[in-house]
Amino acid sequence: MTQILTIARRELAEGMRNRWVVSMTAVMAALAGTIAALGSAPTGTTATGALDVVVVGLASLTIFLVPLIALLLSHDSITREAERGTLLLLLSHPLSRSQVVAGKFLGQLAILALATVIGFGLAAAFVAWRHGAAGWQAFAMMTAISVLLGAVFLALGVLASSMVQESSTAAGISIGLWLFFVALYDMALLAALVAMGGHALPGWLMDAALLANPTDAYRLLTLGEGASAMLSGMGGVYDNSTLTPALLAGMLLVWCLVPLSLAMALFSRRNL
């Protein structure tokens, strides 16, 4: 574990010196602040808390932005080291290849979590200052699950970097993964539902289809219950499924661990 934490600290230190990471944090804070300012404005004196409104907006932003940032962070985890000629030097130390992968993943997760917490935290502080802190539990839960979603795509990016020899190839795979899970998957699912001609899919098949996409699992987990469900329209989907918060969170964890384990296995067999 000490070796893994050493690699993680190295990755975190490199990230903190990277202007792109600072820019990423600033962009997340700016977008989250804009959504907070616009999303909380029309709530007025209704029963819905301002933070509940902001949760819906930020969750929709997260589905597009956090996976992209995670893939940009992790797609060249291994290939960058190989291209710079530092991979062999790194492996000359008393650590295994699996520890290198795990350490890089943890370091990148720390960077992503820091950017997410700062960006979303500033938005929450702004809304709480103007409208009070009602709904802060849902906001905190959404932030934590957003980091978990980011971990899923960090693992997918590390897997892409472990499969190929060049960063450009890994970048192409990562963009393809982002397009598939964020845009194309739901479009294909919608097309399948339309092709059914009004006939409903079996419940178990619909649940399986939602679990097969980490962004859909995230959407149900953050917007399926409470005031957010009413505002987002996801309450009906959640109520008609057998999926529970524990199952959805567990599936996101599986989506994180499986690609990370595959990345370790592939990198362990890679010729340097």
Side-chain angles (χ1 to χ4, degrees):
M1 193 64 190
T2 302
Q3 291 89 338
I4 293 175
L5 293 177
T6 300
I7 298 296
R9 284 194 295 267
R10 174 178 176 269
E11 196 74 14
L12 180 60
E14 288 185 359
M16 291 298 100
R17 294 193 297 267
N18 192 334
R19 292 182 180 179
W20 186 85
V21 173
V22 177
S23 301
M24 172 187 69
T25 305
V27 167
M28 289 192 68
L31 290 175
T34 301
I35 289 176
L38 297 177
S40 63
T43 57
T45 58
T46 63
T48 303
L51 276 176
D52 291 322
V53 178
V54 174
V55 162
V56 176
L58 285 183
S60 301
L61 171 68
T62 295
I63 290 171
F64 290 92
L65 186 60
V66 169
L68 181 60
I69 290 174
L71 289 168
L72 290 174
L73 271 175
S74 62
H75 78 276
D76 60 350
S77 302
I78 306 301
T79 54
R80 182 181 71 248
E81 297 280 3
E83 290 169 350
R84 292 192 308 187
T86 57
L87 185 56
L88 288 175
L89 178 61
L90 183 63
L91 292 174
S92 67
H93 292 81
L95 48 85
S96 67
R97 297 190 184 189
S98 295
Q99 288 173 330
V100 171
V101 172
K104 284 184 166 294
F105 171 79
L106 287 179
Q108 292 162 358
L109 181 58
I111 294 171
L112 183 66
L114 188 63
T116 303
V117 170
I118 291 176
F120 289 3
L122 290 174
F126 172 77
V127 175
W129 172 63
R130 290 191 60 186
H131 301 281
W136 69 268
Q137 297 95 334
F139 192 95
M141 182 62 68
M142 183 271 297
T143 303
I145 301 171
S146 297
V147 174
L148 180 56
L149 179 66
V152 170
F153 283 88
L154 283 175
L156 290 171
V158 173
L159 175 59
S161 189
S162 301
M163 293 170 56
V164 299
Q165 300 293 330
E166 297 180 356
S167 295
S168 57
T169 306
I173 294 173
S174 297
I175 294 300
L177 289 171
W178 182 81
L179 285 173
F180 175 76
F181 286 116
V182 173
L184 299 180
Y185 184 92
D186 285 339
M187 291 175 62
L189 182 58
L190 180 60
L193 292 174
V194 172
M196 295 290 292
H199 299 285
L201 289 175
W204 65 269
L205 184 57
M206 189 64 184
D207 289 347
L210 293 172
L211 291 176
N213 186 350
T215 61
D216 285 336
Y218 168 86
R219 188 182 285 110
L220 276 181
L221 191 54
T222 54
L223 302 177
E225 292 184 305
S228 300
M230 177 186 66
L231 294 170
S232 65
M234 291 298 297
V237 177
Y238 183 82
D239 292 340
N240 289 310
S241 73
T242 59
L243 303 176
T244 64
L247 179 59
L248 291 167
M251 195 61 193
L252 284 176
L253 189 60
V254 169
W255 265 107
C256 178
L257 295 177
V258 170
L260 191 60
S261 299
L262 289 174
M264 291 178 180
L266 288 173
F267 185 50
S268 295
R269 295 175 174 82
R270 179 170 174 168
N271 294 323
L272 301 179

